[in-house]
Amino acid sequence: MRHFDAILIGAGQAAPSLAVELAQRGQRLALIEGNLLGGTCVNVGCTPTKTLRKSARVAHMARRAAEFGVLTGTVSVDFAAAMQRMRARVETSRQGLTGWLQATKNIDTIHGWGRFIGRDGDKFLIEVNGETLSADRVYLNTGARAVIPELPGIDKVPYLDNVSVLALTQCPEHLLIVGASYIGLEMGQIFRRLGAEVSIIHRAGRIAEREDEEISEHIAAFLRAEGIAFHLNSSVSKLIGEDRGLTVQLSDGRTLNGSHILFASGRRPNTERLNLAAVGVETDARGFIRTDAHFNTNVKGIKALGDVNGRGAFTHTSYHDQQIVLAEIDGEHPTGQWQDADKRVLSYAMFTDPPLGRVGITLAQAQVLAGKGQKILVADIAMADVSRAKEEDETLGMMRVIVDAESERFLGAAILGIGGDEIIAVITNFMATGASYRLMQQALPVHPTVAEFFPTLLARLRELT
Ligand SMILES: Cc1cc2nc3c(=O)[nH]c(=O)nc-3n(C[C@H](O)[C@H](O)[C@H](O)COP(=O)(O)OP(=O)(O)OC[C@H]3O[C@@H](n4cnc5c(N)ncnc54)[C@H](O)[C@@H]3O)c2cc1C
């Protein structure tokens, strides 16, 4: 039986980097991946969607060309070429990862589905492709996949998820999307700009309802202006396949016709294949592997990283998980230089165009804290007031910062507008220093940039009542 210091199951955004780092520290490792190295992000998540988003943005800007004094003639999209560009980008990224792993000594990369079959004393026994392997430690990085609701008629309709939508060879005539959160909204705008009619069905009364109301409203307004239809407070109750497409029956009795339907209404953890019961690893009510803030499961020697632990749903959270694990191994305990999973400040972006950059708490969360007596300062500015946005003629959106009055530290920020996905890092990085916002006011920002408005924005801070 082959024995390893550690076995990593699932090659998402945590395991490959962790494997390379551990191998460089002299450990012997097996990295087991059942599908494609790089997991969701590289193959069917961030990389392909952000690549396709660029084609969609170029189409959008080409249609606006005359506003900038540029004449293009009629703009049309070569869907196959845009998809091919996306696939080439994915292929190159995956090849880069494969080459990196191959070039690292001490890692056996195994293609197959790994599952626990029990223990031999302190060692864990894992089966892959009919072979039993043993290891002192196991890192699970098996990720998540789209939730496909059990609906009447779903078995008779060729529905799409984030994997199959990226395999399309023709642009959908009318794409119905279930779910108006990050993935649904990004996909909706991309396919709209590539030429599809798009209708989005959403259970809540507003889109992206985890964001503040004004932010949701801004996003809904610019997506509607591009021709996307929203059906809010609605869910799908039945699907009926047609010769060319399908009919969807909504919870309020209305029907919608479309050529394709995409489910973007949540993600579920990939744990079924792991046979967790063989070693007694616990999951929570939603099926995510329960861990502490250092990613330890209830079984000593087994850690769970990335989306499968329910502590983050992003590439950077998964990658950060492995950085925390590594810092702990290297003796930089998470309570020191590194913040553990309960203390790190979450930042993320929604890559609509314009994008939303977010870090820390929302205004709604700040209001709860203010209600409990915490003194909070808030300031907003419209992108329409930002010179750079005006010069670019991309004035949609707003910026908001939230500060704790006593410590003068940032608690959160939202930047919806041109460059918001990049500019949010100004606040994210500043938050990591724990410094007073007043220091940022003294900095000398470049003109004309969106970021130069931070001092102006901070001068507007007012107490939240
Ligand atoms: C459409 C879309 C767009 C996204 N865009 C962004 C974005 O712009 N920015 C961002 O930060 N995040 C984005 N995300 C989220 C991001 O992709 C994930 O958070 C990220 O991939 C982290 O995943 P992970 O490391 O947990 O594992 P994953 O990347 O999901 O990989 C898990 C791997 O484990 C394998 N596996 C599962 N079970 C087993 C088993 N038993 N044996 C062997 N292998 C197994 C799977 O095949 C898979 O390859 C997006 C997601 C989607 C769906």
Side-chain angles (χ1 to χ4, degrees), residues 300-314:
K300 192 165 181 284
I302 303 179
K303 288 185 186 252
L305 289 72
D307 291 8
V308 77
N309 66 24
R311 289 177 169 276
F314 301 99

Side-chain angles (χ1 to χ4, degrees), residues 9-15 32-47 49-50 112-115 141-144 162 166 183 186-187 267 270 273-274 305-308 312-319 349 351:
I9 308 183
Q13 290 303 301
I32 303 176
E33 170 53 56
N35 191 5
L36 297 169
L37 289 176
T40 307
C41 176
V42 171
N43 300 292
V44 289
C46 333
T47 304
T49 54
K50 268 79 255 181
W113 299 105
R115 64 193 287 268
N141 179 214
T142 51
N162 65 293
L166 296 171
I183 294 174
E186 287 179 22
M187 290 280 194
R267 309 277 299 165
N270 295 325
R273 285 189 161 107
L274 288 170
L305 289 72
D307 291 8
V308 77
F314 301 99
T315 282
H316 48 280
T317 46
S318 179
Y319 187 78
F351 295 91

Side-chain angles (χ1 to χ4, degrees), residues 212 214-215 218 355-358 363 378-389 395-402 410 412-427 440 449-458 460-461:
D212 284 330
E214 299 93 320
I215 301 280
H218 273 290
L356 168 68
R358 278 270 300 110
L363 181 64
V378 177
D380 288 356
I381 196 168
M383 276 290 165
D385 293 337
V386 173
S387 331
R388 179 60 182 272
T395 51
L396 299 171
M398 62 177 286
M399 292 200 269
R400 167 171 291 158
V401 288
I402 303 169
F410 286 102
I415 303 176
L416 174 65
I418 178 172
D421 49 345
E422 295 283 351
I423 297 158
I424 195 67
V426 172
I427 305 287
M440 187 182 280
T449 58
V450 177
E452 79 177 320
F453 268 75
F454 282 126
T456 311
L457 181 57
L458 293 170
R460 292 186 185 187
L461 282 171

